Amino acid sequence: MPSTVPVVDFWFEFASTYSYPAAMRIAPLAQAAGVAVRFRPFLLGPIFKAQGWDTSPFNLYPAKGRYMWRDLARICAALDLPLQRPEPFPQMSVAAARLTLVGLDDGWAEDFCREVYHAEFGEGRRIDDAAVLAELLNGLGIDAAAAQEKAQSAEIKARLRAESAEAERLGLFGAPSFVTADGEVFWGNDRLEDAFTWAKAPQEVAAV
Amino acid sequence: MPSTVPVVDFWFEFASTYSYPAAMRIAPLAQAAGVAVRFRPFLLGPIFKAQGWDTSPFNLYPAKGRYMWRDLARICAALDLPLQRPEPFPQMSVAAARLTLVGLDDGWAEDFCREVYHAEFGEGRRIDDAAVLAELLNGLGIDAAAAQEKAQSAEIKARLRAESAEAERLGLFGAPSFVTADGEVFWGNDRLEDAFTWAKAPQEVAAV
Protein backbone atom coordinates (compact mmCIF):
# COMPACT_ATOMS: atom_id res chain seq x y z
CA MET A 1 0.00 0.00 0.00
CA PRO A 2 1.36 3.48 -0.80
CA SER A 3 2.31 5.78 2.07
CA THR A 4 -0.84 7.84 1.54
CA VAL A 5 -4.23 6.50 0.56
CA PRO A 6 -7.37 8.40 -0.33
CA VAL A 7 -9.91 8.71 2.47
CA VAL A 8 -13.66 8.25 2.10
CA ASP A 9 -16.07 9.14 4.88
CA PHE A 10 -18.84 6.59 5.32
CA TRP A 11 -21.84 8.40 6.80
CA PHE A 12 -24.44 5.98 8.07
CA GLU A 13 -27.56 5.77 10.21
CA PHE A 14 -28.32 2.63 12.18
CA ALA A 15 -32.03 3.07 11.36
CA SER A 16 -31.26 3.12 7.62
CA THR A 17 -31.98 -0.07 5.72
CA TYR A 18 -29.59 0.51 2.82
CA SER A 19 -26.80 1.32 5.29
CA TYR A 20 -26.93 -2.36 6.28
CA PRO A 21 -25.49 -3.87 3.06
CA ALA A 22 -23.12 -0.90 2.76
CA ALA A 23 -21.73 -1.47 6.26
CA MET A 24 -21.33 -5.17 5.60
CA ARG A 25 -19.42 -4.82 2.35
CA ILE A 26 -17.41 -1.62 2.74
CA ALA A 27 -14.32 -2.93 4.58
CA PRO A 28 -13.21 -5.62 2.09
CA LEU A 29 -14.05 -3.37 -0.85
CA ALA A 30 -11.99 -0.55 0.65
CA GLN A 31 -9.05 -2.84 1.20
CA ALA A 32 -9.24 -4.14 -2.37
CA ALA A 33 -9.53 -0.57 -3.71
CA GLY A 34 -6.71 0.83 -1.59
CA VAL A 35 -8.98 3.36 0.08
CA ALA A 36 -9.18 4.24 3.79
CA VAL A 37 -12.70 4.52 5.19
CA ARG A 38 -13.78 6.54 8.20
CA PHE A 39 -16.99 5.33 9.86
CA ARG A 40 -19.15 8.36 10.71
CA PRO A 41 -22.45 7.60 12.42
CA PHE A 42 -25.06 10.34 12.37
CA LEU A 43 -28.74 10.85 13.00
CA LEU A 44 -31.13 11.43 10.12
CA GLY A 45 -34.04 12.25 12.42
CA PRO A 46 -33.23 15.96 12.76
CA ILE A 47 -32.69 16.29 9.00
CA PHE A 48 -35.98 14.51 8.26
CA LYS A 49 -37.79 16.66 10.86
CA ALA A 50 -36.47 19.85 9.28
CA GLN A 51 -38.21 18.86 6.04
CA GLY A 52 -41.45 17.97 7.79
CA TRP A 53 -41.06 14.20 8.18
CA ASP A 54 -41.72 12.60 11.56
CA THR A 55 -40.75 9.07 10.48
CA SER A 56 -38.96 7.25 7.67
CA PRO A 57 -40.00 8.22 4.13
CA PHE A 58 -40.50 4.47 3.63
CA ASN A 59 -43.37 4.68 6.12
CA LEU A 60 -44.69 8.01 4.86
CA TYR A 61 -44.81 6.80 1.25
CA PRO A 62 -46.09 3.20 1.31
CA ALA A 63 -45.41 2.36 -2.36
CA LYS A 64 -41.81 3.47 -1.90
CA GLY A 65 -41.60 1.48 1.34
CA ARG A 66 -42.93 -1.70 -0.26
CA TYR A 67 -40.43 -1.32 -3.08
CA MET A 68 -37.55 -0.66 -0.68
CA TRP A 69 -38.11 -3.89 1.28
CA ARG A 70 -38.29 -5.91 -1.94
CA ASP A 71 -35.21 -4.20 -3.37
CA LEU A 72 -33.33 -4.75 -0.12
CA ALA A 73 -34.35 -8.42 -0.13
CA ARG A 74 -32.85 -8.81 -3.61
CA ILE A 75 -29.66 -7.01 -2.57
CA CYS A 76 -29.26 -9.08 0.58
CA ALA A 77 -29.94 -12.31 -1.31
CA ALA A 78 -27.20 -11.45 -3.80
CA LEU A 79 -24.77 -10.71 -0.94
CA ASP A 80 -25.88 -13.75 1.06
CA LEU A 81 -26.91 -11.49 3.97
CA PRO A 82 -29.85 -12.51 6.16
CA LEU A 83 -32.77 -10.06 6.25
CA GLN A 84 -35.59 -9.59 8.74
CA ARG A 85 -37.68 -6.50 9.36
CA PRO A 86 -37.15 -5.05 12.82
CA GLU A 87 -40.25 -3.94 14.70
CA PRO A 88 -40.85 -1.12 15.01
CA PHE A 89 -39.32 0.34 11.88
CA PRO A 90 -37.38 2.57 11.98
CA GLN A 91 -35.50 1.67 15.17
CA MET A 92 -34.33 4.40 17.54
CA SER A 93 -30.64 4.52 16.72
CA VAL A 94 -29.19 7.11 19.08
CA ALA A 95 -27.78 4.66 21.65
CA ALA A 96 -25.99 2.59 19.01
CA ALA A 97 -24.65 5.74 17.34
CA ARG A 98 -23.24 7.08 20.62
CA LEU A 99 -21.64 3.72 21.38
CA THR A 100 -20.00 3.80 17.95
CA LEU A 101 -18.34 7.11 18.84
CA VAL A 102 -16.98 5.47 22.00
CA GLY A 103 -15.79 2.58 19.85
CA LEU A 104 -14.03 4.93 17.45
CA ASP A 105 -11.92 6.13 20.38
CA ASP A 106 -11.35 2.62 21.65
CA GLY A 107 -10.75 0.76 18.39
CA TRP A 108 -13.80 -1.49 18.18
CA ALA A 109 -16.28 0.69 16.29
CA GLU A 110 -16.33 -1.14 12.96
CA ASP A 111 -16.88 -4.59 14.43
CA PHE A 112 -19.59 -3.16 16.66
CA CYS A 113 -21.35 -1.55 13.71
CA ARG A 114 -21.47 -4.83 11.84
CA GLU A 115 -22.85 -6.56 14.94
CA VAL A 116 -25.55 -3.92 15.33
CA TYR A 117 -26.60 -4.11 11.69
CA HIS A 118 -26.63 -7.89 11.79
CA ALA A 119 -28.80 -7.92 14.92
CA GLU A 120 -31.17 -5.26 13.57
CA PHE A 121 -31.69 -6.30 9.95
CA GLY A 122 -30.29 -9.83 9.91
CA GLU A 123 -32.21 -10.98 12.98
CA GLY A 124 -34.90 -8.30 13.35
CA ARG A 125 -33.82 -7.45 16.91
CA ARG A 126 -34.34 -4.15 18.71
CA ILE A 127 -31.27 -1.93 18.82
CA ASP A 128 -32.94 0.60 21.11
CA ASP A 129 -32.69 -1.98 23.91
CA ALA A 130 -29.67 -1.42 26.17
CA ALA A 131 -29.58 -5.14 27.01
CA VAL A 132 -29.28 -6.09 23.33
CA LEU A 133 -26.46 -3.58 22.83
CA ALA A 134 -24.73 -4.87 25.97
CA GLU A 135 -24.94 -8.41 24.61
CA LEU A 136 -23.37 -7.33 21.32
CA LEU A 137 -20.58 -5.48 23.13
CA ASN A 138 -19.87 -8.39 25.43
CA GLY A 139 -19.81 -10.73 22.45
CA LEU A 140 -16.92 -8.65 21.10
CA GLY A 141 -15.08 -8.87 24.41
CA ILE A 142 -15.83 -5.24 25.29
CA ASP A 143 -16.74 -4.08 28.79
CA ALA A 144 -20.36 -3.21 28.02
CA ALA A 145 -21.08 -1.37 31.27
CA ALA A 146 -18.07 0.89 30.85
CA ALA A 147 -18.83 1.58 27.18
CA GLN A 148 -22.47 2.32 27.86
CA GLU A 149 -21.54 4.69 30.67
CA LYS A 150 -19.11 6.56 28.39
CA ALA A 151 -21.81 6.69 25.70
CA GLN A 152 -24.00 8.65 28.11
CA SER A 153 -21.35 11.29 28.75
CA ALA A 154 -21.98 14.89 27.81
CA GLU A 155 -18.92 14.80 25.56
CA ILE A 156 -20.20 11.87 23.48
CA LYS A 157 -23.70 13.31 23.27
CA ALA A 158 -22.27 16.61 22.03
CA ARG A 159 -20.06 14.84 19.51
CA LEU A 160 -22.99 13.00 17.98
CA ARG A 161 -24.92 16.25 17.70
CA ALA A 162 -21.90 17.87 16.06
CA GLU A 163 -21.52 14.98 13.61
CA SER A 164 -25.19 15.20 12.65
CA ALA A 165 -24.83 18.96 12.14
CA GLU A 166 -21.76 18.33 9.98
CA ALA A 167 -23.74 15.83 7.90
CA GLU A 168 -26.38 18.47 7.29
CA ARG A 169 -23.70 21.03 6.44
CA LEU A 170 -22.30 18.62 3.85
CA GLY A 171 -25.74 18.47 2.23
CA LEU A 172 -26.52 14.93 3.33
CA PHE A 173 -30.20 14.00 3.28
CA GLY A 174 -30.08 10.21 3.41
CA ALA A 175 -27.91 7.26 4.33
CA PRO A 176 -25.59 5.74 3.53
CA SER A 177 -23.63 8.60 2.02
CA PHE A 178 -19.99 8.58 1.02
CA VAL A 179 -17.96 11.78 0.95
CA THR A 180 -14.51 12.11 -0.59
CA ALA A 181 -11.71 14.40 0.62
CA ASP A 182 -12.61 16.94 -2.09
CA GLY A 183 -16.21 17.07 -0.86
CA GLU A 184 -17.90 14.97 -3.53
CA VAL A 185 -21.04 13.32 -2.15
CA PHE A 186 -22.31 9.90 -3.22
CA TRP A 187 -25.65 8.79 -1.81
CA GLY A 188 -26.77 5.20 -1.49
CA ASN A 189 -25.35 1.72 -1.19
CA ASP A 190 -25.25 1.68 -5.01
CA ARG A 191 -22.72 4.48 -5.10
CA LEU A 192 -20.08 2.93 -2.86
CA GLU A 193 -17.87 1.77 -5.72
CA ASP A 194 -18.27 5.12 -7.51
CA ALA A 195 -17.12 6.95 -4.38
CA PHE A 196 -13.97 4.83 -4.17
CA THR A 197 -13.25 5.37 -7.86
CA TRP A 198 -13.67 9.12 -7.44
CA ALA A 199 -11.52 9.22 -4.30
CA LYS A 200 -8.66 7.64 -6.22
CA ALA A 201 -9.10 9.73 -9.37
CA PRO A 202 -11.42 12.75 -9.05
CA GLN A 203 -13.12 13.65 -12.34
CA GLU A 204 -13.68 17.01 -13.92
CA VAL A 205 -17.45 17.30 -14.08
CA ALA A 206 -18.93 20.69 -14.93
CA ALA A 207 -21.59 22.07 -12.61
CA VAL A 208 -25.08 22.10 -14.07
CA MET B 1 -31.61 -14.48 -31.33
CA PRO B 2 -33.88 -17.22 -29.90
CA SER B 3 -37.50 -17.38 -31.04
CA THR B 4 -38.69 -15.92 -27.75
CA VAL B 5 -36.93 -13.26 -25.73
CA PRO B 6 -37.78 -11.92 -22.28
CA VAL B 7 -39.67 -8.65 -22.26
CA VAL B 8 -38.98 -5.72 -19.94
CA ASP B 9 -41.33 -2.76 -19.70
CA PHE B 10 -39.52 0.57 -19.54
CA TRP B 11 -41.79 3.00 -17.67
CA PHE B 12 -40.60 6.57 -18.05
CA GLU B 13 -41.66 10.18 -17.52
CA PHE B 14 -40.41 12.90 -19.81
CA ALA B 15 -40.13 15.23 -16.79
CA SER B 16 -37.88 12.74 -14.99
CA THR B 17 -34.19 13.52 -14.98
CA TYR B 18 -32.92 9.99 -14.40
CA SER B 19 -35.16 8.75 -17.23
CA TYR B 20 -32.87 10.68 -19.59
CA PRO B 21 -29.74 8.50 -19.28
CA ALA B 22 -31.95 5.40 -19.08
CA ALA B 23 -33.71 6.27 -22.35
CA MET B 24 -30.42 6.98 -24.05
CA ARG B 25 -28.72 3.73 -23.10
CA ILE B 26 -31.54 1.17 -22.96
CA ALA B 27 -31.72 0.14 -26.65
CA PRO B 28 -28.10 -0.98 -27.17
CA LEU B 29 -28.04 -2.62 -23.74
CA ALA B 30 -31.23 -4.53 -24.51
CA GLN B 31 -29.85 -5.72 -27.82
CA ALA B 32 -26.62 -6.89 -26.18
CA ALA B 33 -28.58 -8.63 -23.40
CA GLY B 34 -31.08 -10.30 -25.74
CA VAL B 35 -34.03 -8.61 -24.07
CA ALA B 36 -37.00 -6.93 -25.75
CA VAL B 37 -38.00 -3.57 -24.28
CA ARG B 38 -41.42 -1.94 -24.43
CA PHE B 39 -41.41 1.85 -24.07
CA ARG B 40 -44.25 2.86 -21.72
CA PRO B 41 -44.61 6.60 -21.10
CA PHE B 42 -46.66 7.61 -18.09
CA LEU B 43 -47.34 10.64 -15.94
CA LEU B 44 -45.95 10.86 -12.43
CA GLY B 45 -47.93 14.00 -11.61
CA PRO B 46 -51.07 12.18 -10.47
CA ILE B 47 -49.01 9.74 -8.34
CA PHE B 48 -47.08 12.61 -6.75
CA LYS B 49 -50.31 14.53 -6.15
CA ALA B 50 -51.88 11.55 -4.40
CA GLN B 51 -49.04 11.67 -1.86
CA GLY B 52 -49.34 15.42 -1.37
CA TRP B 53 -46.63 16.67 -3.72
CA ASP B 54 -47.45 19.45 -6.16
CA THR B 55 -44.05 19.45 -7.88
CA SER B 56 -40.94 17.30 -8.19
CA PRO B 57 -39.48 16.00 -4.90
CA PHE B 58 -36.21 17.50 -6.17
CA ASN B 59 -37.81 20.93 -5.82
CA LEU B 60 -39.61 20.12 -2.57
CA TYR B 61 -36.43 18.84 -0.90
CA PRO B 62 -33.61 21.20 -1.94
CA ALA B 63 -30.70 19.13 -0.56
CA LYS B 64 -31.97 16.14 -2.51
CA GLY B 65 -32.41 18.32 -5.58
CA ARG B 66 -28.88 19.72 -5.39
CA TYR B 67 -27.52 16.21 -5.03
CA MET B 68 -29.59 14.90 -7.95
CA TRP B 69 -28.27 17.51 -10.39
CA ARG B 70 -24.69 16.78 -9.35
CA ASP B 71 -25.21 13.02 -9.53
CA LEU B 72 -26.86 13.38 -12.94
CA ALA B 73 -23.94 15.52 -14.14
CA ARG B 74 -21.53 12.74 -13.14
CA ILE B 75 -23.68 10.09 -14.86
CA CYS B 76 -24.01 12.12 -18.05
CA ALA B 77 -20.28 12.89 -18.10
CA ALA B 78 -19.51 9.17 -17.85
CA LEU B 79 -21.93 8.43 -20.72
CA ASP B 80 -20.74 11.42 -22.77
CA LEU B 81 -24.28 12.85 -22.76
CA PRO B 82 -24.76 16.63 -22.78
CA LEU B 83 -26.65 18.06 -19.81
CA GLN B 84 -28.49 21.35 -19.34
CA ARG B 85 -31.24 22.18 -16.88
CA PRO B 86 -34.53 22.95 -18.56
CA GLU B 87 -36.47 25.94 -17.25
CA PRO B 88 -38.86 25.50 -15.65
CA PHE B 89 -38.11 22.20 -13.98
CA PRO B 90 -39.99 19.92 -14.12
CA GLN B 91 -41.29 20.37 -17.65
CA MET B 92 -44.94 19.64 -18.47
CA SER B 93 -44.63 16.28 -20.19
CA VAL B 94 -48.17 15.38 -21.21
CA ALA B 95 -47.87 16.46 -24.87
CA ALA B 96 -44.66 14.48 -25.41
CA ALA B 97 -46.13 11.44 -23.65
CA ARG B 98 -49.25 11.48 -25.84
CA LEU B 99 -47.14 11.83 -28.96
CA THR B 100 -45.11 8.80 -27.87
CA LEU B 101 -48.31 6.74 -27.77
CA VAL B 102 -49.02 7.85 -31.35
CA GLY B 103 -45.46 6.90 -32.24
CA LEU B 104 -45.86 3.45 -30.69
CA ASP B 105 -48.68 2.82 -33.17
CA ASP B 106 -46.73 4.31 -36.06
CA GLY B 107 -43.26 2.89 -35.39
CA TRP B 108 -41.27 6.00 -34.49
CA ALA B 109 -41.75 6.21 -30.72
CA GLU B 110 -38.26 5.25 -29.58
CA ASP B 111 -36.45 7.68 -31.88
CA PHE B 112 -38.87 10.39 -30.84
CA CYS B 113 -38.26 9.70 -27.13
CA ARG B 114 -34.52 10.09 -27.58
CA GLU B 115 -35.04 13.35 -29.46
CA VAL B 116 -37.29 14.70 -26.72
CA TYR B 117 -34.85 13.78 -23.94
CA HIS B 118 -31.94 15.23 -25.90
CA ALA B 119 -33.80 18.50 -26.45
CA GLU B 120 -34.99 18.72 -22.83
CA PHE B 121 -31.93 17.69 -20.85
CA GLY B 122 -29.17 17.85 -23.46
CA GLU B 123 -30.11 21.33 -24.71
CA GLY B 124 -32.35 22.64 -21.93
CA ARG B 125 -35.26 23.27 -24.34
CA ARG B 126 -38.94 23.37 -23.44
CA ILE B 127 -40.84 20.20 -24.30
CA ASP B 128 -44.20 21.72 -23.38
CA ASP B 129 -43.93 23.88 -26.52
CA ALA B 130 -45.84 22.42 -29.48
CA ALA B 131 -43.45 24.14 -31.91
CA VAL B 132 -40.44 22.41 -30.32
CA LEU B 133 -42.18 19.02 -30.52
CA ALA B 134 -43.15 19.70 -34.14
CA GLU B 135 -39.53 20.49 -34.96
CA LEU B 136 -38.38 17.21 -33.39
CA LEU B 137 -41.03 15.24 -35.29
CA ASN B 138 -40.19 16.92 -38.59
CA GLY B 139 -36.51 16.21 -37.98
CA LEU B 140 -37.39 12.53 -37.91
CA GLY B 141 -39.33 12.79 -41.18
CA ILE B 142 -42.69 12.51 -39.42
CA ASP B 143 -45.74 14.57 -40.40
CA ALA B 144 -45.85 16.69 -37.25
CA ALA B 145 -49.26 18.22 -37.86
CA ALA B 146 -50.88 14.81 -38.34
CA ALA B 147 -49.12 13.31 -35.31
CA GLN B 148 -50.02 16.25 -33.07
CA GLU B 149 -53.63 16.05 -34.17
CA LYS B 150 -53.78 12.33 -33.37
CA ALA B 151 -52.14 13.04 -30.01
CA GLN B 152 -55.10 15.27 -29.13
CA SER B 153 -57.65 12.53 -29.83
CA ALA B 154 -59.90 11.23 -27.07
CA GLU B 155 -58.49 7.74 -27.65
CA ILE B 156 -54.87 8.78 -27.06
CA LYS B 157 -55.77 10.89 -24.04
CA ALA B 158 -57.64 7.95 -22.53
CA ARG B 159 -54.74 5.60 -23.26
CA LEU B 160 -52.26 7.82 -21.44
CA ARG B 161 -54.59 8.03 -18.44
CA ALA B 162 -54.94 4.23 -18.51
CA GLU B 163 -51.17 3.75 -18.71
CA SER B 164 -50.63 6.08 -15.75
CA ALA B 165 -53.27 4.18 -13.78
CA GLU B 166 -51.53 0.91 -14.68
CA ALA B 167 -48.23 2.33 -13.45
CA GLU B 168 -49.85 3.14 -10.12
CA ARG B 169 -51.42 -0.34 -9.98
CA LEU B 170 -47.95 -1.85 -10.48
CA GLY B 171 -46.74 0.11 -7.45
CA LEU B 172 -44.61 2.55 -9.41
CA PHE B 173 -43.77 5.76 -7.55
CA GLY B 174 -40.88 7.12 -9.61
CA ALA B 175 -39.19 6.95 -12.99
CA PRO B 176 -37.56 5.29 -14.69
CA SER B 177 -38.94 1.94 -13.55
CA PHE B 178 -38.39 -1.40 -15.22
CA VAL B 179 -40.92 -4.21 -14.84
CA THR B 180 -40.31 -7.80 -15.87
CA ALA B 181 -42.94 -10.22 -17.18
CA ASP B 182 -43.23 -11.81 -13.71
CA GLY B 183 -44.00 -8.41 -12.17
CA GLU B 184 -40.66 -7.65 -10.55
CA VAL B 185 -40.13 -3.90 -10.28
CA PHE B 186 -36.74 -2.19 -10.55
CA TRP B 187 -36.65 1.55 -9.90
CA GLY B 188 -34.02 3.91 -11.20
CA ASN B 189 -31.51 4.21 -13.99
CA ASP B 190 -29.11 2.25 -11.76
CA ARG B 191 -31.31 -0.81 -11.86
CA LEU B 192 -31.55 -1.20 -15.64
CA GLU B 193 -28.94 -3.93 -15.85
CA ASP B 194 -30.44 -5.74 -12.84
CA ALA B 195 -33.85 -5.76 -14.54
CA PHE B 196 -32.40 -7.34 -17.67
CA THR B 197 -30.56 -9.96 -15.61
CA TRP B 198 -33.76 -10.79 -13.73
CA ALA B 199 -35.84 -10.95 -16.92
CA LYS B 200 -33.50 -13.59 -18.32
CA ALA B 201 -33.17 -15.57 -15.08
CA PRO B 202 -35.66 -14.69 -12.33
CA GLN B 203 -34.29 -15.34 -8.85
CA GLU B 204 -35.95 -16.93 -5.85
CA VAL B 205 -35.97 -14.15 -3.28
CA ALA B 206 -38.06 -14.64 -0.17
CA ALA B 207 -40.52 -11.90 0.77
CA VAL B 208 -39.54 -9.89 3.83
Side-chain angles (χ1 to χ4, degrees):
Chain A
M1 197 174 271
S3 58
T4 64
V5 295
V7 176
V8 171
D9 282 344
F10 168 41
W11 290 89
F12 60 95
E13 225 301 353
F14 281 112
S16 150
T17 50
Y18 286 108
S19 293
Y20 167 45
M24 294 317 214
R25 67 200 192 91
I26 197 167
L29 281 176
Q31 190 164 21
V35 170
V37 169
R38 294 195 299 192
F39 273 49
R40 302 193 69 169
F42 75 113
L43 300 181
L44 268 173
I47 293 172
F48 283 176
K49 251 190 204 113
Q51 58 191 37
W53 295 348
D54 59 359
T55 179
S56 164
F58 298 127
N59 292 341
L60 292 170
Y61 305 110
K64 193 165 188 160
R66 277 189 294 275
Y67 174 79
M68 179 277 290
W69 287 110
R70 180 62 183 165
D71 189 47
L72 190 67
R74 291 190 302 242
I75 290 168
C76 288
L79 295 171
D80 212 14
L81 289 174
L83 179 62
Q84 283 192 52
R85 284 193 207 211
E87 287 292 342
F89 174 79
Q91 290 279 299
M92 286 280 287
S93 54
V94 62
R98 287 178 184 156
L99 278 167
T100 301
L101 293 181
V102 175
L104 285 168
D105 291 342
D106 293 353
W108 45 259
E110 298 192 20
D111 286 335
F112 175 69
C113 288
R114 286 183 284 266
E115 290 297 321
V116 172
Y117 277 116
H118 175 79
E120 182 184 18
F121 293 115
E123 301 182 325
R125 299 182 72 188
R126 292 190 69 134
I127 60 156
D128 60 348
D129 181 339
V132 170
L133 294 172
E135 183 192 317
L136 301 179
L137 291 163
N138 287 327
L140 291 168
I142 297 154
D143 180 340
Q148 289 180 308
E149 194 187 322
K150 270 195 219 173
Q152 291 296 324
S153 68
E155 189 259 329
I156 290 290
K157 289 180 181 179
R159 256 169 72 191
L160 183 58
R161 279 195 300 274
E163 285 290 89
S164 301
E166 172 68 2
E168 193 166 1
R169 197 194 60 77
L170 289 166
L172 307 192
F173 55 91
S177 291
F178 311 96
V179 184
T180 61
D182 60 338
E184 198 75 16
V185 176
F186 296 82
W187 171 51
N189 173 56
D190 297 324
R191 291 287 188 280
L192 174 47
E193 288 84 349
D194 290 345
F196 286 176
T197 301
W198 187 285
K200 293 196 288 182
Q203 308 284 302
E204 288 286 333
V205 173
V208 69
Chain B
M1 196 175 272
S3 60
T4 63
V5 295
V7 175
V8 171
D9 282 343
F10 169 41
W11 290 89
F12 60 94
E13 222 305 351
F14 281 112
S16 150
T17 51
Y18 287 107
S19 294
Y20 167 45
M24 293 318 215
R25 66 200 192 91
I26 198 168
L29 282 176
Q31 189 164 21
V35 170
V37 169
R38 294 195 298 192
F39 274 49
R40 302 193 69 169
F42 74 114
L43 300 182
L44 268 173
I47 293 173
F48 283 176
K49 254 193 203 106
Q51 57 192 37
W53 294 348
D54 59 359
T55 180
S56 164
F58 298 126
N59 291 341
L60 292 169
Y61 305 111
K64 194 164 188 161
R66 277 189 295 273
Y67 174 79
M68 178 277 290
W69 287 109
R70 181 62 183 165
D71 189 47
L72 189 67
R74 290 190 303 242
I75 290 167
C76 289
L79 295 171
D80 212 13
L81 288 173
L83 178 62
Q84 284 192 51
R85 285 194 206 209
E87 287 293 340
F89 173 80
Q91 290 279 299
M92 287 279 289
S93 54
V94 61
R98 286 178 184 156
L99 278 166
T100 301
L101 293 180
V102 175
L104 285 169
D105 291 341
D106 293 352
W108 45 260
E110 298 192 20
D111 286 336
F112 175 69
C113 288
R114 287 183 283 266
E115 291 296 321
V116 171
Y117 278 115
H118 175 78
E120 182 185 18
F121 293 114
E123 302 182 325
R125 300 181 73 187
R126 292 190 69 134
I127 61 157
D128 60 348
D129 181 339
V132 170
L133 294 172
E135 183 193 317
L136 301 179
L137 290 163
N138 287 327
L140 291 169
I142 297 153
D143 180 340
Q148 289 180 308
E149 195 187 320
K150 269 195 219 172
Q152 290 297 324
S153 69
E155 189 258 330
I156 289 291
K157 289 181 180 178
R159 257 169 70 192
L160 183 58
R161 279 194 300 273
E163 284 290 88
S164 300
E166 172 68 2
E168 193 165 4
R169 196 194 61 77
L170 289 166
L172 308 192
F173 54 92
S177 292
F178 311 96
V179 184
T180 61
D182 60 338
E184 198 74 16
V185 176
F186 296 83
W187 171 52
N189 173 57
D190 297 323
R191 292 287 188 279
L192 174 48
E193 289 83 351
D194 290 346
F196 286 175
T197 301
W198 187 286
K200 293 196 288 182
Q203 309 283 303
E204 288 288 332
V205 173
V208 69

